[in-house]
Amino acid sequence: MYTIIAFDILRQHRWRLLAMSALGIVSAVVYFAFAERMYTVDLVAIPARHDQNFSAALGGGQALGGIGSLLGIDAGQTEQVREGMAILKSRLLIEDFIEQNNLLPILFADKWDEENNVWFDPSDPPSPWDGFMEFSNNIYTVSESPAEGTIRIKMTWRDSKTAASWANAILTLANDRLRERTIRQSEDSLNYLREELENITTMGVRQSVYSLIESQIQLRMLAKTRPDYAFTVVDPAQPKDPDDYDFPKLTILAPAGAIALPALYLLLLIVGLVFASTDEKSGDVDN
């Protein structure tokens, strides 16, 4: 019964549905003509591979049981990747990147008076949190492919040159942050080990502490001398050709428009029929 009713509705309103479909396609074409082009650029990196001899040196503290782990000496490659991914996605990194590059006026251009270099509403300017939400939700994406062992950064913006610059720059900033963190932790570990060494009299334990000290010195040296300490760029982000935009796509907009308006018309028609039927039943009951 319902199938017959549906076919009857389609038959009675077929010309209106076709008109709605045509209107949807025209609307999609008009939108496509005037919509701002958006570009998505990719950067591909891998976790930095440190020298095997150096990695072996970091395991020299096993004679001290869990002390090496507490100092961060036995952190493996998997832990390094997790830490790197956490840094890349962190609010602190993104907010610092936005601040260093003064991106709030760019991200919220509709609220920024460029001529006078002030916000249109000085009492309610966009906050760092607003910048973080806009950047992380609509512009910046980080993903990991464990099977390939790669990390991919995507930047989406109306200017592909700017997007590529941002992608390369934020990875550099993450590398710098991880290097600084490693250097700071290594220096703290060295201070602790040197203090403990004065209280240790057993020769075997002293030798193990010396090995830990040596590994921390090597770790600090590596962090200070390698700009790509955490991530090595395999494929840097590159600007795209002006015609190679990712949004809008007419091949997606036109079919969507051809379907959306007729579907909306049918929905409104069905709702109207349901309410009309309900009113008729109510009238029959009252009578």
Side-chain angles (χ1 to χ4, degrees), residues 138-208:
N138 300 319
I139 300 170
Y140 173 64
T141 304
V142 183
S143 60
E144 179 188 2
S145 175
E148 298 177 357
T150 59
I151 295 167
R152 187 179 296 270
I153 292 176
K154 290 180 179 289
M155 284 284 183
T156 301
W157 192 243
R158 55 177 174 262
D159 175 18
S160 67
K161 185 177 180 180
T162 299
S165 174
W166 288 352
N168 294 324
I170 200 166
L171 185 74
T172 299
L173 181 60
N175 261 327
D176 290 342
R177 290 296 164 84
L178 286 163
R179 287 174 61 244
E180 293 167 1
R181 180 176 177 177
T182 299
I183 292 169
R184 183 174 64 253
Q185 290 178 342
S186 180
E187 290 176 346
D188 290 342
S189 297
L190 282 170
N191 292 333
Y192 170 78
L193 289 169
R194 286 166 178 160
E195 290 177 0
E196 288 299 308
L197 190 62
E198 298 178 359
N199 302 321
I200 296 173
T201 57
T202 306
M203 183 56 65
V205 178
R206 288 181 65 88
Q207 289 297 330
S208 296

Side-chain angles (χ1 to χ4, degrees), residues 72-180:
I73 293 172
D74 286 330
Q77 188 74 13
T78 302
E79 188 63 30
Q80 179 185 336
V81 173
R82 289 176 181 170
E83 182 182 18
M85 289 295 293
I87 292 292
L88 281 170
K89 295 179 179 180
S90 68
R91 179 182 59 83
L92 183 60
L93 179 79
I94 294 173
E95 287 186 356
D96 285 351
F97 181 77
I98 291 173
E99 181 181 2
Q100 289 182 15
N101 294 277
N102 193 28
L103 297 186
L104 282 180
I106 298 175
L107 299 179
F108 302 97
D110 57 329
K111 299 181 178 182
W112 177 252
D113 184 353
E114 188 173 359
E115 183 177 349
N116 298 309
N117 290 325
V118 294
W119 296 105
F120 285 121
D121 184 2
S123 63
D124 187 28
S127 65
W129 173 257
D130 294 328
F132 164 71
M133 294 298 294
E134 174 67 20
F135 198 78
S136 60
N137 289 336
N138 300 319
I139 300 170
Y140 173 64
T141 304
V142 183
S143 60
E144 179 188 2
S145 175
E148 298 177 357
T150 59
I151 295 167
R152 187 179 296 270
I153 292 176
K154 290 180 179 289
M155 284 284 183
T156 301
W157 192 243
R158 55 177 174 262
D159 175 18
S160 67
K161 185 177 180 180
T162 299
S165 174
W166 288 352
N168 294 324
I170 200 166
L171 185 74
T172 299
L173 181 60
N175 261 327
D176 290 342
R177 290 296 164 84
L178 286 163
R179 287 174 61 244
E180 293 167 1

